[in-house]
Amino acid sequence: MRRNLALAHALTNQLPGLIGREVTGVLVSGTTLAPGFELPPAWDWVILPGVEKGRGGYRPRSLDVPMPDLVSLRASLLESVLGSFRPDLVVVDRHATGIHRELEVALRRARAAGPVRMVLGLREVLDSPEAAIAEWDREGGEGLVTSLFDAIWVYGDPAVHDPVAAGEIPHSFRKLIHYTGYLAAGRPQGSGQLSMRRPYFMTTVGGGADGHALAKMASDAALPPGVGHLIVAGPQMPAQQLNDLRLRAKAGFKIVDTLDDMVLHMRRAEAIVSMGGYNTVCEILATRVPALVVPRTESRSEQRIRAESLAAAGYLEHRDIGMLTPAVLADWLVKQLGTKVDRRRAQLNGLVRVPQLAAGLLLPVLESIGTRPLDHIREGAAHVAI
């Protein structure tokens, strides 16, 4: 959701200057947390009934219905959104046809209805090659993907990690792929309402559903007098675990569940400890602050692969959580006081590159219409669905 919100802001700010039209759009999400984040002008949310990942695969997050019924409901809503909004550009995040292919019919009908450009947007690391290829098969296979999408945007730097060479993306997709660089520089700054007295360290555990162990270790780390610690527990951390962290907090520690100005506080921190999710790592890369990434060890290999790749490039450090204790973590943090990391070699301008790629897809459609009355691509704003 944060990745696609950043894309929406970038397209709104830059695409009008490239195609001569304003942008209006919908962001489709499966989380009720989404409306709490600031949208760019002329955008709105469409919130689908949510799913979550359990031991046996995906399941309904809230509704007490069988999974096939939820898939059918999501498919109907998606078809209605794309059919009524008639987007000129559709950007699908990560899952080509949805969790259980609930997006497939909506995409097919949107393509049949008129000129529309469809893009599959992928983070730079998917999973282990075996797991990634199995997921491509579940989503319809190579033939379906190449028939639906005009381009694949990979939000990363192949010099750090190349998912095609690693076997995570089929080689047959190469002609569709454009590497954008990380979606790092240019993210919205946020409100700056939370105040932290400097100097301070910062720990963030992404959504927080599986971040209690790292956040607890950070809250137990003894730091020198006068050095604070901002711990962002994540909006999905269970309330009991969040309360546990607050009970452990020492003087100068501040524990919050969410933060709308993550980048601002990262830039002001002396050092950052985090899990290895895509958005958090992008926000770190946009700073010069030393960072220690402690990747998730269950479910996917994505975070471990990302941490190892970025550490090999010299942009951050990484350790497994089994190698850490509060004392080890405190020692690492203190050693970072006053230091900076040079990340100027990193390709961080994905939020500039994406609007350029979007314009390249849309301009031929605009030019082909010529002086005829505009129907699907309107006289006014270009319609984007993400």
Side-chain angles (χ1 to χ4, degrees):
M1 184 268 294
R2 289 168 58 205
R3 174 166 61 243
N4 293 311
L5 185 60
L7 288 176
H9 279 280
L11 290 170
T12 295
N13 293 335
Q14 300 169 53
L15 197 54
L18 298 171
I19 66 171
R21 296 174 187 275
E22 297 300 314
V23 172
T24 189
V26 292
L27 276 162
V28 183
S29 176
T31 171
T32 55
L33 299 171
F37 289 80
E38 184 179 357
L39 282 169
W43 284 74
D44 210 338
W45 294 105
V46 172
I47 307 300
L48 300 178
V51 298
E52 63 182 8
K53 200 164 189 179
R55 294 185 176 224
Y58 287 102
R59 63 192 181 194
R61 177 180 290 138
S62 301
L63 291 182
D64 185 12
V65 298
M67 189 62 186
D69 292 353
L70 186 72
V71 170
S72 178
L73 175 58
R74 284 165 61 97
S76 297
L77 292 169
L78 288 163
E79 186 179 340
S80 177
V81 169
L82 294 191
S84 300
F85 187 61
R86 295 191 303 158
D88 307 311
L89 175 66
V90 178
V91 182
V92 178
D93 188 81
R94 178 66 181 91
H95 298 282
T97 56
I99 299 297
H100 281 276
R101 298 180 69 168
E102 69 269 29
L103 185 54
E104 181 179 347
V105 171
L107 293 179
R108 287 185 182 278
R109 293 191 174 177
R111 185 172 284 289
V116 58
R117 294 294 179 259
M118 294 186 178
V119 175
L120 177 60
L122 301 176
R123 59 180 187 247
E124 89 294 16
V125 179
L126 300 182
D127 205 336
S128 67
E130 299 78 14
I133 294 302
E135 198 156 38
W136 286 113
D137 291 340
R138 288 194 297 272
E139 292 171 8
E142 299 177 28
L144 179 59
V145 172
T146 54
S147 70
L148 285 177
F149 294 97
D150 300 288
I152 297 173
W153 297 342
V154 179
Y155 305 132
D157 178 359
V160 176
H161 180 79
D162 186 343
V164 177
E168 300 165 37
I169 298 177
H171 282 266
S172 60
F173 293 171
R174 275 193 179 276
K175 291 183 179 180
L176 295 176
I177 290 175
H178 300 269
Y179 292 94
T180 68
Y182 292 94
L183 306 180
R187 288 198 174 212
Q189 288 287 320
S191 66
Q193 292 179 350
L194 178 68
S195 176
M196 278 296 293
R197 183 177 177 181
R198 302 169 77 174
Y200 66 88
F201 299 119
M202 185 170 176
T203 296
T204 176
V205 294
D210 57 354
H212 181 253
L214 180 59
K216 176 177 175 293
M217 197 173 298
S219 67
D220 289 343
L223 300 179
V227 180
H229 199 153
L230 172 61
I231 300 175
V232 185
Q236 294 174 330
M237 181 172 287
Q240 185 176 357
Q241 295 180 356
L242 181 61
N243 290 335
D244 173 66
L245 296 181
R246 288 175 169 153
L247 289 172
R248 293 172 178 275
K250 304 175 180 64
F253 283 45
K254 186 171 291 187
I255 298 173
V256 298
D257 56 350
T258 59
L259 193 63
D260 76 341
D261 46 9
M262 189 78 75
V263 176
L264 177 67
H265 282 88
M266 283 184 171
R267 286 178 177 162
R268 293 175 176 175
E270 294 292 319
I272 300 164
V273 177
S274 80
M275 294 181 71
Y278 180 84
N279 293 295
T280 302
V281 166
C282 281
E283 289 159 346
I284 289 171
L285 292 176
T287 77
R288 297 179 59 217
V289 179
L292 178 66
V293 170
V294 184
R296 173 185 290 127
T297 57
E298 297 181 1
S299 183
R300 294 185 181 274
S301 301
E302 169 213 345
Q303 293 197 6
R304 175 186 56 78
I305 296 169
R306 177 176 297 116
E308 290 174 352
S309 300
L310 289 165
Y315 297 143
L316 47 78
E317 299 180 47
H318 87 96
R319 293 189 191 178
D320 293 333
I321 195 165
M323 299 172 61
L324 288 177
T325 65
V328 169
L329 186 59
D331 182 63
W332 183 88
L333 287 166
V334 170
K335 287 179 179 178
Q336 310 311 311
L337 282 166
T339 68
K340 297 295 180 185
V341 177
D342 185 355
R343 300 186 176 110
R344 287 175 294 182
R345 291 186 296 108
Q347 300 297 313
L348 307 180
N349 287 326
L351 292 174
V352 173
R353 180 64 176 143
V354 162
Q356 294 171 349
L357 291 169
L361 290 171
L362 289 171
L363 280 173
V365 177
L366 294 170
E367 292 169 358
S368 70
I369 293 173
T371 58
R372 288 178 291 136
L374 298 181
D375 176 23
H376 193 73
I377 297 182
R378 298 159 180 79
E379 294 275 9
H383 288 209
V384 179
I386 301 179

